[in-house]
């Protein structure tokens, strides 16, 4: 059990971006997916005769830049990095916030993008 506790303690110290990288590394290394299978949730029987509704897990998220903050240049750089837009296009996106930065991405990607943008000084929403 001590190895497991050591690993848990190490994971507790990671940032959201580092956790997203760790999940991706596990998926690549072991050929698995960290996403919960939605079909298993829907097929689960109701416990104790209670009526249970299968809640479909959201798998696609939009990253919305809500405000730029004080470090506009840093935010523009991160928007360019995430989107691949040119300088002029990225500046237009940042100037016209609130604007979607990335749409229909995985939760891990959305969290990683949010972490990068927040670190650059922006306010971000994931929907």
């Amino acid at each position: 059990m001590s190895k497991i506790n050591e690993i848990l303690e190490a994971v507790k110290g990671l940032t959201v971006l580092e956790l997203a990288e760790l999940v991706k590394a596990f998926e690549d290394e072991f050929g698995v997916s960290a996403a919960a299978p939605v079909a298993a949730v829907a097929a689960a029987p109701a416990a104790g005769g209670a009526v249970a509704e299968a809640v479909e897990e959201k798998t696609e998220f939009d990253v919305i830049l809500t405000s730029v903050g004080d470090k506009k240049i840093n935010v523009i750089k991160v928007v360019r990095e995430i989107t691949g837009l040119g300088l002029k296009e990225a500046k237009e996106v940042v100037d016209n916030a609130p604007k979607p930065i990335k749409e229909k991405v995985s939760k891990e990607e959305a969290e990683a993008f949010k972490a990068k943008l927040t670190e650059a000084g922006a306010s971000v929403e994931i929907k």
Side-chain angles (χ1 to χ4, degrees), residues 4-106:
I4 293 172
N5 289 335
E6 289 176 26
I7 293 169
L8 285 174
E9 288 303 315
V11 169
K12 286 180 186 176
L14 297 177
T15 65
V16 173
L17 184 57
E18 291 168 331
L19 284 172
E21 290 173 9
L22 177 64
V23 168
K24 179 73 174 134
F26 271 106
E27 290 175 341
D28 292 344
E29 180 69 24
F30 299 108
V32 296
S33 173
V38 176
V41 173
V51 176
E53 292 183 26
V55 178
E56 187 174 327
E57 186 174 331
K58 187 172 179 177
T59 58
E60 293 181 336
F61 298 86
D62 297 339
V63 180
I64 312 292
L65 176 69
T66 55
S67 73
V68 178
D70 298 341
K71 301 176 183 174
K72 183 176 178 179
I73 293 172
N74 292 342
V75 174
I76 292 172
K77 287 179 183 178
V78 174
V79 168
R80 288 187 68 199
E81 176 188 334
I82 291 171
T83 61
L85 293 172
L87 179 60
K88 180 181 177 186
E89 293 83 3
K91 183 180 180 303
E92 285 178 15
V93 168
V94 170
D95 286 342
N96 293 312
K99 276 290 225 193
I101 300 298
K102 276 289 203 182
E103 297 180 328
K104 298 184 180 178
V105 296
S106 71

